[in-house]
Amino acid sequence: GAGVSQSPSNKVTEKGKDVELRCDPISGHTALYWYRQSLGQGLEFLIYFQGNSAPDKSGLPSDRFSAERTGGSVSTLTIQRTQQEDSAVYLCASTRSWSGVDSPLHFGNGTRLTVT
Amino acid sequence: GNSVTQMEGPVTLSEEAFLTINCTYTATGYPSLFWYVQYPGEGLQLLLKATKADDKGSNKGFEATYRKETTSFHLEKGSVQVSDSAVYFCALSEYSGAGSYQLTFGKGTKLSVIP
């Protein structure tokens, strides 16, 4: 497709289970961002990839969160031992320009995660 | 660190009313500034941007001017339409070192326009 694709669109999981969220960026976009959108909290930065490397992991909330990117394309965000406070919409965005200035961020529709 | 503060919503306006959504920022250097919009059921998309002081970004009748002296980037539109109902996010981009740009977003302001 032409846009950023995220899967699943909705995920309900039990507390303590692991989940994997997938992001397919636009072809040719070298920079990829993960954000978390909680009710009333705006967009919280999680991690940024330039190619396959992650120069900025400062936003990951705990060591239960990890992310990888392979082949400069697909990225997976993994949350281990999920907690109820992990419930949120997880957004992925990609861009040609790593600064997000020369070309804008293109966002996916997000994965809505609910931890019961 | 960098931060973006925008006015709390929700904002409800009648069609053809004037819109202002305030946004101020904190940054250590010279960031680029953006407004992104999220229409119902859609992903965020860029609305407009400004890359240096006194620049004015504009798109779809919306405008915002980069004011360095007041560290502000307020969004305005002279006459809103029902189709402008959405959530609006102010954001900044600044080089944070270690080969990374930090893109920081505000909390978003929900706008509802009623006929």
Side-chain angles (χ1 to χ4, degrees), chain A residues 10-79:
Chain A
N10 281 284
K11 176 71 177 178
V12 180
T13 190
E14 293 180 353
K15 177 181 173 181
K17 301 282 190 182
D18 298 352
V19 295
E20 282 190 355
L21 312 180
R22 177 187 169 104
C23 173
D24 266 294
I26 293 173
S27 177
H29 281 193
T30 57
L32 185 148
Y33 294 78
W34 282 99
Y35 288 88
R36 179 166 69 176
Q37 186 176 22
S38 304
L39 191 62
Q41 296 300 312
L43 271 68
E44 175 189 3
F45 170 78
L46 297 178
I47 189 170
Y48 154 78
F49 286 93
Q50 179 64 23
N52 290 336
S53 64
D56 191 348
K57 303 179 182 179
S58 63
L60 293 176
S62 75
D63 59 8
R64 296 186 295 105
F65 287 72
S66 63
E68 65 175 12
R69 189 178 184 196
T70 55
S73 181
V74 172
S75 177
T76 303
L77 176 69
T78 301
I79 309 173

Side-chain angles (χ1 to χ4, degrees), chain B residues 3-4 15 26 44 52 55 76 85 87-88 102 110-111 115:
Chain B
S3 67
V4 175
E15 208 164 21
T26 302
L44 277 84
K52 61 183 188 296
D55 265 3
E76 297 182 336
S85 298
V87 182
Y88 292 83
Q102 185 175 74
K110 183 176 181 179
L111 170 67

Side-chain angles (χ1 to χ4, degrees), chain A residues 33 35 37 40-43 45 48 55-56 91 98-105 107-109, chain B residues 32 34 36 38 41-44 46 49 51 89 93 95-96 98-101 103 105-107:
Chain A
Y33 294 78
Y35 288 88
Q37 186 176 22
Q41 296 300 312
L43 271 68
F45 170 78
Y48 154 78
D56 191 348
L91 294 173
W98 68 327
S99 70
V101 175
D102 298 327
S103 75
L105 293 183
F107 281 84
N109 286 345
Chain B
S32 295
F34 310 84
Y36 277 79
Q38 186 175 29
E42 299 183 16
L44 277 84
L46 179 68
K49 69 178 182 183
T51 58
F89 293 87
S93 171
Y95 184 66
S96 60
S100 172
Y101 275 81
L103 279 121
F105 286 80
K107 293 185 176 182

Side-chain angles (χ1 to χ4, degrees), chain B:
Chain B
N2 297 340
S3 67
V4 175
T5 303
Q6 57 183 108
M7 64 187 287
E8 302 251 344
V11 174
T12 302
L13 295 174
S14 297
E15 208 164 21
E16 299 184 2
F18 184 85
L19 168 71
T20 300
I21 301 178
N22 290 337
C23 172
T24 57
Y25 67 90
T26 302
T28 53
Y30 304 94
S32 295
L33 302 174
F34 310 84
W35 278 99
Y36 277 79
V37 59
Q38 186 175 29
Y39 296 105
E42 299 183 16
L44 277 84
Q45 57 188 273
L46 179 68
L47 178 61
L48 53 84
K49 69 178 182 183
T51 58
K52 61 183 188 296
D54 300 325
D55 265 3
K56 177 185 285 188
S58 61
N59 186 25
K60 299 182 180 181
F62 290 88
E63 292 183 339
T65 301
Y66 189 143
R67 300 287 188 200
K68 186 166 171 56
E69 63 275 14
T70 54
T71 61
S72 66
F73 193 55
H74 304 321
L75 182 68
E76 297 182 336
K77 186 173 185 181
S79 176
V80 293
Q81 305 300 311
V82 172
S83 57
D84 295 325
S85 298
V87 182
Y88 292 83
F89 293 87
C90 186
L92 69 81
S93 171
E94 186 174 44
Y95 184 66
S96 60
S100 172
Y101 275 81
Q102 185 175 74
L103 279 121
T104 305
F105 286 80
K107 293 185 176 182
T109 302
K110 183 176 181 179
L111 170 67
S112 297
V113 180
I114 54 178

